[in-house]
Amino acid sequence: MESVHHVSVSSKILFSKVRKIVPPMLEKFHKGQLGRVAVIGGSLDYTGAPYFSAMASARLGCDMSHVLCERSAASVIKSYSPNLMVHPLLPSIDTVKDPNSIDVPSLAGPIIAMLSRLHALVIGPGLGRDEVTLKVVAEVIREARSRSIPFVLDADGLLIVTQDPSLVKGYKECILTPNVVEFGRLAKTMGIKVASQVEIAQAGNDNITDKASDACEQLSQAFGGVTIIQKGPQDVISNGITSIISDSKGGLKRSGGQGDTLTGSLGTFLAWRAAYHEKMWDSGEQDNEKEAQSIEDVQAELSSENKRMSPVTTLLLAAWASSSITRECSRRAFADKGRSMQASDLTDEVHGAFLRLIGEPEGSKTHL
Ligand SMILES: NC(=O)C1=CN([C@@H]2O[C@H](COP(=O)(O)OP(=O)(O)OC[C@H]3O[C@@H](n4cnc5c(N)ncnc54)[C@H](O)[C@@H]3O)[C@@H](O)[C@H]2O)[C@@H](O)CC1
Ligand SMILES: Nc1ncnc2c1ncn2[C@@H]1O[C@H](COP(=O)(O)OP(=O)(O)OP(=O)(O)O)[C@@H](O)[C@H]1O
Ligand SMILES: [Mg+2]
């Protein structure tokens, strides 16, 4: 018998809490303060995924969007947009002298040197499966974790986790974003038998949401409390103790690359969340002495009108907000383009989705 631990707070209240972690637009801020995010991905085969992710991050509102990619992908990604800063720093089998004897820390050095300037990382979009690349990215993950830099792992980044779960196990500043297939692979790696959303639906269960939350909670617990967004007909978000369901309407076209709008949005939200906890602006909330742990604590923080939120609560909110924005982008793009909709159509909807769902926080000076 599964236990159910998802929060029961209305979307309206959740969005009002999300608005608290969005920095207002103020004249005093300098370049970079509204977010410096890097997407680590992009290879010979895949150049679209890192672009969609980095553009979603930029369109949502971060100041600096970097892409750290494999050499062969760099010029291609640069040609998509001059707004992105694209760095050809990832090695591959083709660019090292001897793939069987590589100095991983030294190959990872140029990327690690950038970490101190970044608020958040999105690791995996279009990364590919080159073994040299993956070893170097695993080293970057280790270093980012040791510096408490928050990161999102998706696509081929999740493959790195299936190869070595200890890289993220127990790290609370990390979000995994598996699709149905990736969720199954992660569960298998952790040796737990959980049904995916599709299997649950096919089995004709009545309580699909409860069963899906339970599966996501179990996987999160197996990872020591890492936050997981299981994407699907509804996105189930869990940190092993508390879960939130994101089930707003999306579009009906399942073109590839929509998950990249999610990861890019997450990158920006993680950067904003860090700024919120550093008190970069006055949120008008009262200090909160107690750090939320349990679902009751999280629920109380979400229901309180004027209390600062704990990192556990804001991580769940960042995940829920990013999922909601992605689904709203998909809904709007599908309403406009129908079956012709592509991933790039979501990119164009990010700002409109943000304004409709969240809106500018109090104090923002958007009209000069
Ligand atoms: N334009 C681009 O550059 C894109 C690049 N992508 C990259 O492509 C690489 C491989 O990603 P894949 O997602 O193909 O990973 P996999 O190679 O692991 O393939 C997953 C497979 O699962 C299938 N699948 C997905 N959702 C499913 C569902 N709900 N039910 C049943 N089957 C389902 C897919 O059709 C796919 O064949 C990654 O690096 C990714 O970032 C993709 O994100 C798509 C867009
Ligand atoms: N059946 C569905 N109904 C509504 N929304 C969905 C459905 N399936 C996926 N989505 C939404 O699409 C987005 C991407 O999820 P998806 O499962 O396509 O990820 P993915 O396979 O990793 O995508 P990508 O092609 O970018 O790698 C998520 O935000 C999710 O909420
Ligand atoms: Mg994907």
Side-chain angles (χ1 to χ4, degrees), residues 338-358:
R339 66 173 67 238
S340 147
M341 186 190 104
Q342 298 293 288
S344 56
D345 297 318
L346 269 69
T347 311
D348 297 336
E349 299 293 343
V350 172
H351 186 53
F354 167 82
L355 290 178
R356 178 170 181 273
L357 297 181
I358 300 167

Side-chain angles (χ1 to χ4, degrees), residues 7-46:
V7 294
S8 52
V9 179
S10 73
S11 297
K12 192 170 170 221
I13 292 178
L14 286 177
F15 280 125
S16 73
K17 299 305 280 187
V18 170
R19 209 174 302 122
K20 293 282 183 194
I21 59 174
V22 177
M25 308 287 304
L26 301 177
E27 275 154 354
K28 69 174 185 181
F29 289 150
H30 64 71
K31 182 175 76 176
Q33 280 189 291
L34 293 198
R36 293 187 293 267
V37 177
V39 175
I40 303 185
S43 54
L44 185 62
D45 284 345
Y46 308 116

